[in-house]
């Protein structure tokens, strides 16, 4: 026998099964270690998620509040006429206002002295706002009007802890002594933190006015872009999928198209941006910074996502349904449009919403077609103008803020992210609900 | 008198490699194995036969705790290997499976070379101290798997490149390489053609000189050809267990008779 | 098409050999003129360096979480951890960019920077290869993890059974049987992740800096192809100047690189799937 020539390996001393031998112990330790690596990897991933979420919420929430100064102000008609007669009209309004403010403080027993310059540092130039109001509402003259005026961004920062007494260096923006005044005003309940509606509904402000910046206009920009994306990519995507899935012959050519679609889905978004710039702006001369162009570019990017998910849901419809329809004499067209498509609809919608959510968060291509910078100055004038007027979009607006020098804008950028994420979360939640409700098993 | 009875039992136990008593297996709510007791002999081939879904594979997988890998499986009762309860909490299934090897229905060589396939078990169990010893083990195992002559010139080629029958013999060689005491085979020939099947059956006959072999099979002819003992399972019950010749010629239970004469199954 | 047209026009204005081989990137801001040096290599180096850092972060974490989720985790843990990791994939890149710029960058400076915890002063500013790479790695974790998860699940159970039947532990089975079997697929997944990292824009625009340089120090600011495309094409530039047209050439190079990676990766993954079907 051949085996006889082989010297048997001295087998380890026979241990009963109930006792682990040293080697097994070592192996089991390795097993445990390996498992811990896996747990550690997941923990690290989740840790990053938590850090990300915490930093978004912590840095973003302050953007939704704003320190305001609330003052009841009465302007008599004589004062109005007097002020309008002066050369520096807003300065006149401002001095009226300061007088009221001083009176208010004295009434509450706070005797803090301040000069006009300090008020200006805290509140900005108030005269212009007051004049505009009274010129527009002359009937309010002589009646007490309650004003809520936003404090300057540095005072706002002091309220939110971003600006501290120790770190503050006297400058023309804010001085140590001003903070005493702010404290006094806060004690008197004249300055307080209020919900910053302007941030949610307003438009972008200039680089030197972080307090007035709002994301509202760019939300509208994003909305118009999504409309374009939806009305372009959904019909085209669905039509292409139906053709590929139901009608196209299986040959080299359709195979090539299929490979191309999955490759298209992985092309970097910035390349789509360059493409958009070259084709839509340079070649077709569509207006720069317009949601229409942004929508066109994003539609190109969303198309593969929609096609892939549509084809998957068409595939999920069992052939028996097609055969049943064909069997009662329906044409292939009728079978697809009357029977297959309605059954695949929930899947298609889910895919579309997810595609739209991706498009909504996409930034890079928008940078190239000029949707950054100081574009979202105001709301578009009408529905059509919404597509063609220069506007920004949410992610592009966030980028614009992040790229500005004034750190006060960072808070706005984080706040913008919260709003963007709320939109995305809603869209994904709708997609999940749709999927759950219409999920069908054949 | 009591003492004498104990001595009597131990003499019976000597030949029994695996003793299962009152084993019940549940898959979730399904009661897959119902109160099965069986003693499997050493250095012999035991065949489990029965119609599909009768639980014979399930029971086989209990013998080396392969069912542990399935979350919903639950096992009650006692299975002893050489008198040790293999479901004892202190027993490491890894150590157990080194003693109770398994060959599966579909040949499943690893995506490695033929050499590495066979060397896999010895390596993880630390059976060799150097390359020369490992080479010896691989050669010996391939010889026992009756495949050495076919593959000795291409040990570095992937095991997946072999034919179905060769792959299965490679898997048997791989199982033998860890020096098991029991070899479990789950329908080892069902994916093979008749010639490959004949080769494997010959091999099984050879293996019984060293190991206790348990084979699950669909084919009654195969059971009759290779086994000394046969157990007939039906709907989770062990209907009949005994000498193979006895079961096939003179079954005691009417269900066994129906099955081997082809009326059920 | 328009991309090619513009690229050709660029090469008419600027020699192609210099574009591909020049070691420096120094566009002149005067607009027109031959004084600009527009070499691709420093940008490509920055791109690759950041992508490598990203993959070093993402691949082990992604792969190990995929292994844990598909082989060890109970279905409860899986149904809880998988969507949570998925959230990381659904977050827009602008958010990661801001995260890099405002959170990770300053954090790294406080560790590696002047007067930091480690007492070394390796890192000068928040914008660095490390910052962008780390954040990009976080972004890629769910991408790597979900792709590897699919691929590991495609390895047939019979392969695992074979290994368990020989008395291998779970980790031995995974390391020596499942992973080698899944290797081609995982390689494809990593290539796909790499192509993502190379094409990623917002994180590098905000996190990596604008200085094109060939350096090995991961704490230095570097720039990438994508970041330069953005900086060359935003602002009021003249579309006919080489400084603007170079962006199209950069875009073309980027497109070709990522497309090649994708084609190879998809081919590998497809081949792999067929093997076990």
């Amino acid at each position: 026998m051949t085996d006889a020539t082989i010297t048997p390996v001295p087998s380890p001393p026979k241990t009963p099964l109930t006792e682990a031998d040293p080697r097994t112990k070592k192996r089991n330790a390795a097993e445990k270690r390996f498992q811990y690596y896996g747990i550690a990897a997941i923990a690290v991933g989740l840790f990053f998620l938590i850090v990300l979420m915490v930093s978004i919420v912590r840095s973003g929430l302050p953007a939704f509040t704003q320190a305001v100064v609330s003052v009841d102000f009465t302007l008599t008609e004589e004062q109005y006429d007097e002020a309008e007669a002066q050369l520096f009209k807003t300065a006149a309004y401002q001095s009226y206002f300061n007088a009221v403010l001083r009176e208010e403080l004295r009434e509450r027993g706070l005797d803090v002295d301040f000069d006009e310059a300090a008020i200006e540092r805290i509140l900005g130039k108030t005269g212009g706002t007051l004049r505009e109001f009274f010129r527009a509402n002359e009937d309010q003259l002589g009646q007490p009007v309650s004003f809520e005026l936003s404090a300057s961004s540095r005072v706002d920062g002091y309220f939110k802890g971003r600006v501290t007494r120790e770190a503050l260096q006297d400058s023309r923006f804010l001085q140590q002594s001003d903070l005493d005044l702010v404290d006094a005003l806060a004690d008197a309940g004249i300055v307080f933190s209020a919900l910053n509606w302007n941030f949610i509904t307003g438009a972008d402000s200039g680089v030197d006015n972080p307090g007035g910046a709002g994301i509202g206009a760019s939300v509208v920009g994003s909305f118009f872009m999504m409309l374009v994306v939806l009305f372009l990519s959904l019909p085209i995507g669905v039509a292409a999928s139906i053709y590929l899935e139901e009608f196209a012959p299986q040959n080299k050519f359709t195979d090539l198209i299929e490979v191309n679609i999955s490759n298209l889905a992985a092309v970097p978004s910035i390349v789509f941006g360059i493409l958009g710039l070259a084709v839509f702006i340079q070649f077709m001369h569509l207006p720069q910074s317009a949601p229409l162009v942004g929508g066109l570019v994003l539609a190109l990017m969303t198309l593969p996502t929609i096609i892939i998910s549509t084809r998957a849901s068409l595939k999920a419809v069992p052939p028996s349904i097609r055969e049943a329809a064909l069997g009662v004499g329906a044409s292939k067209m009728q079978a697809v449009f009357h029977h297959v498509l309605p059954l695949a609809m929930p899947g298609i919608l889910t895919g579309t919403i997810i595609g739209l959510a991706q498009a909504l968060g996409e930034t890079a291509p928008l940078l190239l077609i000029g949707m950054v910078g100081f574009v979202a100055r105001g709301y578009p004038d009408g529905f059509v103008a919404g597509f063609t007027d220069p506007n920004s979009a949410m992610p592009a607006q966030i980028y614009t803020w992040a790229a500005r020098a004034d750190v006060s804008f960072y808070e706005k950028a984080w706040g913008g992210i919260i709003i963007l994420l709320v939109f995305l979360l809603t869209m994904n939640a709708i997609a999940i609900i749709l999927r759950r409700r219409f999920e069908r098993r054949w | 008198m009591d003492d004498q009875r104990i001595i009597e039992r131990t003499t019976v136990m000597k030949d029994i490699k695996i003793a299962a008593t009152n084993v019940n297996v549940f898959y979730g709510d399904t009661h897959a194995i119902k109160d099965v007791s069986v003693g499997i002999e050493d250095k012999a081939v035991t065949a489990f036969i029965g119609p599909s879904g009768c639980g014979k594979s399930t029971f086989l997988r209990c013998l080396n705790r392969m069912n542990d890998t399935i979350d919903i499986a639950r096992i009650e009762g006692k299975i002893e290997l050489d008198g040790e309860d293999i479901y004892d909490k202190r027993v490491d299934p890894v150590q157990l499976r080194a003693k109770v090897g398994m060959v599966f229905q579909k040949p499943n060589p690893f995506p490695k070379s033929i050499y590495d396939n066979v060397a896999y078990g010895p390596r993880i169990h630390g059976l060799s101290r150097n390359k020369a010893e490992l080479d010896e083990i691989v050669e010996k195992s391939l010889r026992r798997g009756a495949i050495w002559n076919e593959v000795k010139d291409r040990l570095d080629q992937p095991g997946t490149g072999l034919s179905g029958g060769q792959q299965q013999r490679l898997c048997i060689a791989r199982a033998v390489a860890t020096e098991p005491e029991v070899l479990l085979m789950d329908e080892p020939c069902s994916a093979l053609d008749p010639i490959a099947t004949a080769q494997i059956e010959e091999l099984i006959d050879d293996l019984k000189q060293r190991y206790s072999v348990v084979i699950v099979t669909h084919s009654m002819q195969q059971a009759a050809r290779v086994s000394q003992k046969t157990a007939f399972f039906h709907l989770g019950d062990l209907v009949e267990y005994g000498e193979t010749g006895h079961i096939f010629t003179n079954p005691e239970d009417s269900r066994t008779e129906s099955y081997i004469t082809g009326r059920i199954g | 098409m328009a991309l090619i047209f513009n690229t050709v026009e660029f090469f008419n204005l600027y020699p192609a050999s210099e574009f591909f081989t020049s070691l420096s990137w120094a566009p002149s801001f005067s607009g027109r003129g031959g004084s600009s040096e527009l070499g691709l290599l420093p940008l490509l180096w920055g791109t690759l360096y950041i992508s490598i850092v990203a993959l070093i972060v993402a691949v082990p974490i992604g792969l190990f979480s995929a292994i844990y989720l598909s082989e060890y985790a109970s279905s409860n843990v899986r149904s809880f951890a998988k969507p949570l990791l998925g959230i990381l994939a659904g977050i827009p890149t602008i958010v990661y960019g801001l995260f890099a710029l405002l959170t990770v960058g300053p954090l790294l400076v406080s560790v590696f920077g002047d007067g930091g915890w480690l007492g070394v002063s390796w890192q000068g500013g928040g914008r660095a290869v490390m910052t962008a790479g780390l954040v990009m790695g976080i972004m890629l974790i769910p991408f790597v993890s979900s792709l590897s998860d699919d691929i590991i699940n495609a390895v047939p159970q019979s392969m695992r059974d074979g290994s368990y039947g020989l008395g291998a532990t779970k980790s031995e089975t995974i390391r020596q049987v499942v992973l080698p079997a899944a290797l081609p697929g995982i390689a494809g997944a990593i290539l796909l992740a790499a192509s993502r990292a190379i094409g990623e824009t917002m994180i590098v625009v905000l996190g990596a800096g604008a200085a094109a340089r060939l350096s090995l120090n991961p704490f230095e600011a570097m720039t990438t192809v994508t970041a330069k495309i953005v900086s060359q094409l935003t602002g009021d530039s003249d579309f006919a100047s080489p400084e603007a047209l170079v962006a199209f050439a950069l875009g073309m190079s980027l497109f070709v690189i990522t497309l090649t990676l994708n084609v190879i990766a998809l081919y590998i993954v497809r081949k792999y799937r067929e093997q076990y079907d």
Side-chain angles (χ1 to χ4, degrees):
Chain A
M1 235 177 100
T2 42
D3 290 358
T5 58
I6 295 168
T7 44
V9 180
S11 54
K14 219 169 157 66
T15 46
L17 274 175
T18 45
E19 268 173 47
D21 58 44
R23 190 178 167 83
T24 312
K25 273 188 197 145
K26 228 179 3 192
R27 286 170 61 201
N28 283 340
E31 169 80 22
K32 274 264 153 7
R33 259 200 317 276
F34 192 75
Q35 215 168 329
Y36 287 139
Y37 294 152
I39 294 176
I42 292 179
V44 169
L46 295 184
F47 168 75
F48 283 141
L49 179 67
I50 291 168
V51 171
L52 187 61
M53 286 302 161
V54 167
S55 60
I56 290 172
V57 171
R58 238 192 43 192
S59 328
L61 279 185
F64 293 92
T65 59
Q66 163 76 39
V68 292
V69 178
S70 164
V71 175
D72 286 336
F73 184 58
T74 315
L75 191 71
T76 59
E77 275 186 55
E78 297 86 67
Q79 281 174 318
Y80 178 62
D81 292 336
E82 194 183 321
E84 286 298 316
Q86 284 184 18
L87 185 57
F88 298 107
K89 299 182 178 68
T90 55
Y93 283 98
Q94 202 151 334
S95 64
Y96 292 143
F97 179 78
N98 289 352
V100 170
L101 193 61
R102 195 167 284 151
E103 189 57 37
E104 188 117 350
L105 276 175
R106 198 161 301 146
E107 255 171 45
R108 303 198 191 196
L110 290 159
D111 198 19
V112 187
D113 201 36
F114 59 84
D115 54 11
E116 311 266 302
I119 288 290
E120 203 169 296
R121 283 193 296 269
I122 293 170
L123 273 176
K125 290 194 195 302
T126 52
T129 323
L130 294 174
R131 177 164 181 249
E132 240 165 69
F133 176 81
F134 283 110
R135 275 169 69 90
N137 307 287
E138 289 199 352
D139 52 322
Q140 299 279 351
L141 287 170
Q143 290 168 14
V145 182
S146 175
F147 279 98
E148 283 199 356
L149 300 165
S150 325
S152 77
S153 71
R154 279 185 173 69
V155 173
D156 189 40
Y158 176 65
F159 256 72
K160 292 166 185 166
R162 194 175 61 227
V163 176
T164 56
R165 241 169 218 280
E166 294 76 40
L168 183 74
Q169 287 179 340
D170 284 1
S171 70
R172 67 188 177 87
F173 298 114
L174 198 62
Q175 295 182 351
Q176 291 283 354
S177 56
D178 299 340
L179 293 181
D180 299 332
L181 179 60
V182 171
D183 283 342
L185 288 168
D187 287 340
I190 297 174
V191 178
F192 53 86
S193 235
L195 187 62
N196 187 1
W197 275 111
N198 180 52
F199 175 65
I200 299 168
T201 58
D204 191 15
S205 62
V207 281
D208 48 358
N209 180 17
I215 200 166
S218 55
V219 172
V220 174
S222 275
F223 171 73
F224 279 108
M225 259 170 30
M226 288 307 114
L227 277 187
V228 176
V229 174
L230 185 65
F231 284 108
L232 273 180
S233 57
L234 184 61
I236 297 177
V238 171
S241 323
I242 290 177
Y243 174 72
L244 284 174
E245 200 57 42
E246 306 282 341
F247 297 104
Q250 277 285 325
N251 56 27
K252 273 255 154 63
F253 181 68
T254 49
D255 215 41
L256 191 74
I257 290 182
E258 245 168 74
V259 172
N260 271 326
I261 287 171
S262 43
N263 277 328
L264 209 59
V267 168
S269 55
I270 185 121
V271 173
F272 283 100
I274 302 183
L275 205 72
L277 175 67
V279 176
F280 298 127
I281 294 179
Q282 226 185 326
F283 183 68
M284 290 166 67
H285 296 290
L286 291 174
Q288 254 198 5
S289 319
L292 176 66
V293 180
L296 284 170
V297 173
L298 293 181
L300 276 181
M301 293 185 52
T302 317
L303 212 49
T305 316
I306 292 186
I307 291 181
I308 289 169
S309 66
T310 305
R311 294 190 58 187
S313 40
L314 284 175
K315 255 192 203 125
V317 177
S320 61
I321 295 202
R322 292 181 188 88
E323 279 155 19
L326 294 176
V328 295
S331 70
K332 185 142 193 193
M333 204 67 148
Q334 287 169 323
V336 170
F337 283 95
H338 294 174
H339 299 280
V340 178
L341 203 54
L343 287 174
M345 217 52 205
I348 296 173
L349 285 182
T350 311
T352 307
I353 293 172
I354 288 171
L356 280 183
Q358 274 173 14
L360 186 62
E362 195 55 67
T363 322
L366 304 183
L367 303 188
L368 296 191
I369 57 167
M371 296 188 87
V372 287
F374 185 29
V375 242
R377 261 166 267 209
Y379 284 93
D381 303 327
F383 190 72
V384 179
F387 291 108
T388 52
D389 275 4
N391 199 343
S392 191
M394 271 187 278
Q397 183 65 62
I398 293 167
Y399 171 77
T400 307
W401 285 333
R404 279 186 189 161
D406 191 338
V407 286
S408 319
F409 276 113
Y410 290 166
E411 176 190 292
K412 300 285 170 188
W414 286 115
I417 281 178
I418 292 183
I419 292 189
L420 179 62
L421 288 182
V422 166
F423 275 103
L424 290 182
L425 213 65
T426 318
M427 290 170 86
N428 280 304
I430 293 173
I432 290 170
I433 290 169
L434 262 180
R435 192 180 305 163
R436 289 262 162 85
R437 171 161 299 181
F438 294 103
E439 196 168 51
R440 226 179 295 237
R441 299 218 178 274
W442 279 287
Chain B
M1 288 299 278
D2 274 338
D3 289 351
Q4 251 190 329
R5 276 194 11 223
I6 290 164
I7 291 163
E8 208 177 270
R9 266 185 65 184
T10 44
T11 50
V12 177
M13 289 291 288
K14 223 173 210 171
D15 289 333
I16 300 292
K17 188 72 184 168
I18 297 177
T21 23
N22 306 111
V23 175
N24 285 286
V25 180
F26 303 88
Y27 282 126
D29 295 331
T30 328
H31 196 171
I33 297 285
K34 296 168 192 157
D35 212 24
V36 169
S37 299
V38 71
I40 288 159
E41 288 178 6
D42 200 7
K43 308 243 188 303
V45 179
T46 307
F48 291 173
I49 60 168
S52 312
C54 66
K56 52 195 192 303
S57 286
T58 303
F59 185 65
L60 189 77
R61 293 169 68 96
C62 290
L63 299 183
N64 71 343
R65 294 185 59 172
M66 278 300 280
N67 284 333
D68 288 16
T69 58
I70 300 163
D71 291 334
I72 54 162
R74 190 159 52 82
I75 292 137
E76 288 170 5
K78 197 170 186 186
I79 300 176
E80 288 173 319
L81 174 71
D82 288 332
E84 285 181 291
D85 183 1
I86 65 169
Y87 280 93
D88 190 300
K89 274 199 178 64
R90 290 167 298 170
V91 170
D92 195 322
V94 165
Q95 229 169 324
L96 169 73
R97 288 180 202 140
K99 289 187 176 182
V100 184
M102 190 156 190
V103 176
F104 296 84
Q105 183 169 3
K106 235 181 98 196
N108 53 355
F110 302 138
K112 298 162 173 275
S113 71
I114 292 170
Y115 182 94
D116 287 336
N117 258 287
V118 180
Y120 179 75
R123 274 192 185 132
I124 57 174
H125 294 294
L127 299 182
S128 65
R129 280 169 307 195
N130 51 44
K131 181 84 172 79
E133 274 182 14
L134 193 61
D135 287 347
E136 263 177 44
I137 295 176
V138 169
E139 182 179 343
K140 184 178 66 180
S141 310
L142 285 169
R143 278 187 199 283
R144 284 193 195 154
I147 193 178
W148 171 250
N149 287 327
E150 291 156 67
V151 299
K152 65 181 172 203
D153 301 322
R154 44 173 172 152
L155 290 177
D156 55 345
Q157 282 175 26
T160 41
L162 298 169
S163 74
Q166 287 173 323
Q167 285 191 5
Q168 193 62 302
R169 276 179 285 149
L170 176 64
C171 291
I172 293 174
R174 189 176 69 185
V176 165
T178 53
E179 298 285 338
E181 295 164 22
V182 180
L183 206 52
L184 308 177
M185 297 187 167
D186 189 356
E187 302 191 24
C189 302
S190 65
L192 304 180
D193 60 65
I195 296 171
T197 302
Q199 284 171 322
I200 303 271
E201 283 179 8
E202 213 172 297
L203 174 59
I204 292 171
D205 202 49
D206 237 25
L207 292 170
K208 74 164 188 284
Q209 293 167 12
R210 277 164 204 284
Y211 314 104
S212 165
V213 179
V214 185
I215 176 169
V216 163
T217 174
H218 249 102
S219 144
M220 286 167 289
Q221 290 85 345
Q222 188 171 54
R225 282 194 299 265
V226 300
S227 69
Q228 282 76 53
K229 288 276 201 131
T230 296
F232 173 61
F233 284 81
H234 188 246
L235 300 176
D237 288 309
L238 175 63
V239 176
E240 202 168 344
Y241 177 56
E243 296 292 329
T244 299
H246 188 75
I247 290 224
F248 278 92
T249 52
N250 195 9
E252 278 163 19
D253 194 287
S254 59
R255 283 171 293 176
T256 318
E257 195 184 350
S258 316
Y259 181 68
I260 59 177
T261 52
R263 261 178 286 158
I264 56 169
Chain C
M1 283 310 116
L3 213 55
I4 296 171
F5 188 72
N6 277 314
T7 309
V8 169
E9 196 166 318
F10 166 70
F11 285 131
N12 282 338
L13 290 172
Y14 191 83
S17 59
E18 239 173 272
F19 173 70
F20 287 112
T21 56
S22 167
L23 292 180
S24 77
W25 173 272
S28 75
F29 291 100
S30 58
R32 203 170 274 277
S35 59
S36 293
E37 285 184 80
L38 304 168
L40 173 69
L41 289 179
L43 306 185
L44 211 54
W45 168 244
T47 307
L48 287 181
Y49 201 1
I50 290 173
S51 305
I52 289 168
V53 173
L55 289 179
I56 289 174
V57 174
V59 169
I61 297 179
L63 195 55
F64 269 107
S65 15
I67 289 171
Y68 187 81
L69 286 179
S70 63
E71 301 280 332
Y72 286 103
S74 66
S75 58
N76 277 336
V77 173
R78 211 172 14 244
S79 65
F80 162 80
K82 247 183 152 174
L84 275 185
L85 282 180
I87 291 179
L88 281 176
I91 290 175
T93 53
I94 175 75
V95 181
Y96 284 107
L98 209 60
F99 185 57
L101 176 68
L102 299 180
T103 308
V104 176
L107 190 77
L108 285 178
V109 171
S110 75
V111 176
F112 298 107
D114 203 8
W117 299 341
L118 291 184
V120 291
S121 76
W122 292 338
Q123 192 168 2
R127 295 182 175 211
V129 169
M130 207 59 191
T131 312
L134 193 66
V135 174
M136 204 188 278
I138 297 174
M139 182 192 81
L140 289 177
I141 289 173
F143 189 71
V144 174
S145 141
S146 73
L147 277 176
S148 320
D149 197 9
D150 288 351
I151 283 156
I152 289 172
N153 280 330
V155 174
Q157 181 63 31
S158 71
M159 206 87 96
R160 295 187 181 87
D161 282 347
S163 177
Y164 296 144
L166 291 172
T169 62
K170 221 162 181 171
S171 65
E172 284 162 350
T173 304
I174 294 164
R175 268 179 307 181
Q176 299 183 29
V177 176
V178 176
L179 285 187
L183 198 62
I186 289 173
I190 291 173
L191 280 187
L192 281 180
S195 120
R196 264 232 170 154
I198 289 172
E200 173 48 44
T201 310
M202 293 321 295
I203 294 175
V204 293
V205 166
L206 287 172
R213 57 164 71 93
L214 283 162
S215 158
L216 275 174
N217 183 356
F219 297 103
E220 242 177 294
M222 277 185 215
T223 194
T224 66
V225 176
T226 49
K228 274 301 154 205
I229 293 176
V230 171
S231 69
Q232 295 308 108
L233 284 182
T234 46
D236 303 315
S237 53
D238 175 10
F239 278 137
S241 70
E243 282 75 24
L245 285 173
V246 70
F248 292 97
L250 290 177
M252 200 68 205
S253 319
L254 187 68
F255 179 70
V256 170
I257 293 170
T258 52
L259 192 70
T260 317
L261 277 178
N262 283 329
V263 169
I264 298 172
L266 287 177
Y267 177 78
I268 294 176
V269 172
R270 254 195 181 195
K271 259 259 149 20
Y272 168 80
R273 289 253 162 81
E274 279 164 11
Q275 186 189 336
Y276 293 119
D277 266 349

